[in-house]
Amino acid sequence: MIRIIKVKDYEEASDKAFEVMKEFIAPGKVLGLATGSTPLGLYARMVKDHKENGTSYKDIRSFNLDEYVGLEITHPESYYAFMHRNLFDQIDIPEENTHVPSGLGDDLEGQAKKYDEMIDASPVDIQLLGIGSDGHIAFNEPGTPFDSGTHVTDLAESTIRDNCRFFDNDMSKVPTQAVTQGIGTIMKAKNILLIATGANKAQAVKDMISGPIDVSCPASILQKHDNVTVIVDEAAASLL
Ligand code: F6R
């Protein structure tokens, strides 16, 4: 079931997301985390709350959704670097409790399988998601089977275009592949929190919520999950 929360704008979306997330910031919990522009406001609120109220992440574990293939973890646009800069280095979560899939090495598929095994051993309590303008969740692009596990994937051209803002607006600098949790992996999370803001997400939001459940809109599978909260701002909700 999808519970929809409509808010005015990005700031309100981040406030609401923090309210939902706060319940899960407790010892023993496992957080599924995302990168991109969408979660930045939420992460800023988590950092503020940690600094002002001492909320601790010492006994929390985290699993990220995805990572570009071929970027060193020291590259500022690697998702590993993103997570450290925007969250992990500013809270007290132990490094060994955090997991970001590796996009480096000779056996990416083998590593992906191990990533799924780790998640199976530590089921995710709440998975945070953004949504691509093409309806992707993590880097599961249209056409990805709904039962997929963590795997290596080619990025859609629209995703490369959307993400080139992080790579000097140069599409040739954007990695063309990523390691991503599969849709099957994401669907195992006990709760899902998806945030969508901005007019360029409106069509994807409409397809996710009221379209047929079809691989042409990967996020439409969320209609089959028991516990999904979708926070949308006015612009992203404009076609609902
Ligand atoms: C990021 C991820 C992606 C993004 C999506 C939206 O870890 O998995 O699916 O959530 O591409 O990106 P933004 O938030 O930059 O609009």
Side-chain angles (χ1 to χ4, degrees), residues 108-170:
L108 292 179
E109 289 294 352
Q111 290 168 204
K113 207 163 162 274
K114 289 208 180 93
Y115 200 72
D116 275 338
E117 287 166 7
M118 279 196 292
I119 292 176
D120 283 340
S122 295
V124 170
D125 289 294
I126 186 162
Q127 176 64 57
L128 175 64
L129 296 175
I131 184 169
S133 58
D134 63 356
H136 71 224
I137 47 175
F139 276 132
N140 295 286
E141 299 286 13
T144 309
F146 285 146
D147 61 357
S148 52
T150 300
H151 62 284
V152 180
T153 186
D154 294 331
L155 302 190
E157 200 185 316
S158 60
T159 300
I160 293 176
R161 200 176 314 115
D162 286 347
N163 288 3
C164 77
R165 66 191 193 279
F166 300 114
F167 292 87
D168 306 326
N169 280 314
D170 181 347

